[in-house]
Amino acid sequence: GQNIDQPTEMTATEGAIVQINCTYQTSGFNGLFWYQQHAGEAPTFLSYNVLDGLEEKGRFSSFLSRSKGYSYLLLKELQMKDSASYLCAVIDSNYQLIWGAGTKLIIKP
Amino acid sequence: DAGVIQSPRHEVTEMGQEVTLRCKPISGHDYLFWYRQTMMRGLELLIYFNNNVPIDDSGMPEDRFSAKMPNASFSTLKIQPSEPRDSAVYFCASSWGSSGGSYNEQFFGPGTRLTVL
């Protein structure tokens, strides 16, 4: 079956760094997305990885290892506004988008 | 562009009633997705369209759910009859396609919060 695993919840301190992991087992792979979703709002796009390696975009970076079925989202210089859920999603070989359950990130002062 | 537009934003109805949710995608996008989100099940893809044609409706829970896209700028998701377990936030999202049949980042609408009593 298709499966995406993320930690349910993580807590970090303002100004620190946090890494949110995502592992996947899907029938094929055509790309991986990370989305951010604040409570009561719609998901918004953060990053897209299709090749191995690190993609950096400001305070956020996303890493992919296709051979390991693994990705992480790295958030630096955490701010209170980064408190949100972070969703990992994979496009499989049939171009179906498989979503993880999301990781709720709590930032403490 | 105004982004993806959904209506209504909130809907409260009684069990057995018909519910119609509406979506206007971003102009130029050729993919449209309908999602349902609950605390228990997370974000679930219900159906998606490419160039107004339904491509995958395997996520539609049962025959009570139906979706249409009569043109590139409008789609509806209908639940008839509605049941309390249909209570959720329903999101519409749109995207433009890339080569090979895949698609790019999805832009989500604000969602419709549906409560079925």
Side-chain angles (χ1 to χ4, degrees):
Chain A
Q2 315 253 57
N3 194 51
I4 295 183
D5 288 316
Q6 304 179 235
T8 303
E9 187 174 295
M10 298 181 70
T11 301
T13 305
E14 190 177 15
I17 299 173
V18 71
Q19 178 175 310
I20 302 174
N21 295 325
C22 170
T23 58
Y24 61 89
Q25 300 91 37
T26 56
S27 55
F29 178 86
N30 277 302
L32 184 145
F33 292 96
W34 283 98
Y35 281 79
Q36 179 190 59
Q37 186 177 24
H38 286 102
E41 298 183 9
T44 54
F45 170 82
L46 286 178
S47 68
Y48 173 68
N49 294 70
V50 65
L51 299 176
D52 290 349
L54 188 67
E55 295 274 346
E56 297 187 78
K57 192 184 294 185
R59 294 189 298 114
F60 292 9
S61 302
S62 57
F63 172 83
L64 174 67
S65 169
R66 289 172 296 171
S67 62
K68 295 182 179 178
Y70 169 69
S71 173
Y72 67 72
L73 181 68
L74 191 72
L75 291 74
K76 303 176 185 177
E77 301 169 14
L78 286 170
Q79 301 175 10
M80 297 303 292
K81 66 178 182 178
D82 297 331
S83 292
S85 289
Y86 292 85
L87 305 169
C88 172
V90 172
I91 305 176
D92 70 10
S93 57
N94 294 319
Y95 299 107
Q96 261 208 324
L97 189 59
I98 314 299
W99 290 84
T103 298
K104 183 178 181 180
L105 178 63
I106 300 169
I107 309 297
K108 296 186 175 179
Chain B
D1 200 316
V4 176
I5 299 172
Q6 290 187 249
S7 64
R9 294 292 306 275
H10 302 271
E11 176 81 32
V12 180
T13 190
E14 293 190 347
M15 182 173 65
Q17 295 298 306
E18 177 179 297
V19 174
T20 299
L21 310 181
R22 296 173 176 79
C23 175
K24 175 178 168 55
I26 292 173
S27 177
H29 283 186
D30 52 354
Y31 282 86
L32 184 139
F33 306 81
W34 280 103
Y35 290 94
R36 177 173 68 176
Q37 188 173 41
T38 61
M39 289 292 292
M40 290 293 293
R41 301 174 68 91
L43 193 64
E44 301 174 276
L45 176 65
L46 300 177
I47 185 172
Y48 77 93
F49 296 82
N50 179 218
N51 292 320
N52 314 337
V53 177
I55 302 300
D56 185 353
D57 65 353
S58 59
M60 297 286 260
E62 48 198 274
D63 292 346
R64 297 185 297 108
F65 285 68
S66 62
K68 294 182 180 180
M69 193 167 185
N71 57 62
S73 58
F74 183 66
S75 178
T76 59
L77 178 68
K78 185 176 294 186
I79 308 173
Q80 165 64 15
S82 58
E83 297 183 1
R85 59 190 167 124
D86 301 330
S87 297
V89 179
Y90 290 82
F91 289 107
C92 174
S94 70
S95 173
W96 67 93
S98 58
S99 60
S102 186
Y103 36 83
N104 297 292
E105 63 180 279
Q106 295 179 30
F107 294 80
F108 284 74
T112 296
R113 184 172 295 277
L114 174 65
T115 303
V116 183
L117 304 174

